[in-house]
Amino acid sequence: MILINGKKAAAELRAELKEEVAELKSKHNKVPGLTVILIGDLTPSQIYVRNKEKSANEVGLKSEVIKYPDSVEEKTVLEKIQELNSDETVSGILVQLPLPKHIDKQKVIEAIDPSKDVDGFHPMNVGNLSSGYESSIPCTPLGCYLLIKKIEPNLSGKKAVVVGRSNLNGKPMTQLLLKENCTVTITHSKTKDLKAECLEADIIVAAVGIPELVRGDWVKKDAIVIDVGINKTDNGIVGDVHFDEVSKNAKALTPVPGGVGPMTIACLLKNTIDCFKRSQI
Ligand code: GUN
């Protein structure tokens, strides 16, 4: 069984991106810039944002974090986004989710210029991805996709099952696999026989937020299994896949932690650089 090392893959991607940033700097005499807006003081969000800033600096991006208290008015945030949209030194804008209840998430997402939407959440990017056009691609599915391609460069005709249909993970993951000519089944909490669906799969991506849902006898011998789950349990953090059981069957499996997680931030940096490159054409 191949234990997919997301930490190593992310470090390799960051090293490539660092070189690319250096090349862009010598060519354009400027570097891509990432601005993150953080509202409130939720601990997980603060940790994510700190890691994003650290990684951005590491590869040589210009990085900025704008912090607002929980009580900030929606209008203030929308005005700041408008300002960042017109700022040439800002290549990518990310508003850390979740947002306080009084702020309309969709309004905020739609305020971001689609060409600076490094999350790939703007409806324009969602539409472009599903139409097969160039777009920003949400960071976690992009990270999963790159890990799958490392194991199996030719995905054409493979059967893929995506467990979970969120806008953040399941839906964009499906689009990426479709683009690679996979036959994709999206499953979710109302799927009748999830085990039977998973047993058909050459590739399983589990992104449903249910601890250790995917069991050993759900997985075909030699399947590639990608675990997006991060679930807090009494036994610590576990994924959506039962690691010990599935590792006996699968050809390749991501651990939690150390699998998809590290790739997500590296892909955010990639998206920032890609937004910059498109803006220079
Ligand atoms: N909060 C948790 N994951 C994400 C993400 O991928 N993007 C944003 N903007 N917020 C998040």
Side-chain angles (χ1 to χ4, degrees), residues 158-177:
K158 301 277 182 202
K159 284 193 176 174
V161 169
V162 177
V163 187
R165 56 176 154 180
S166 69
N167 291 336
L168 221 76
N169 292 307
K171 284 181 198 157
M173 190 71 237
T174 300
Q175 297 299 346
L176 289 172
L177 292 165

Side-chain angles (χ1 to χ4, degrees), residues 94-97 119 121:
L94 180 143
V95 180
Q96 184 67 26
L97 304 175
D119 264 326
F121 293 166

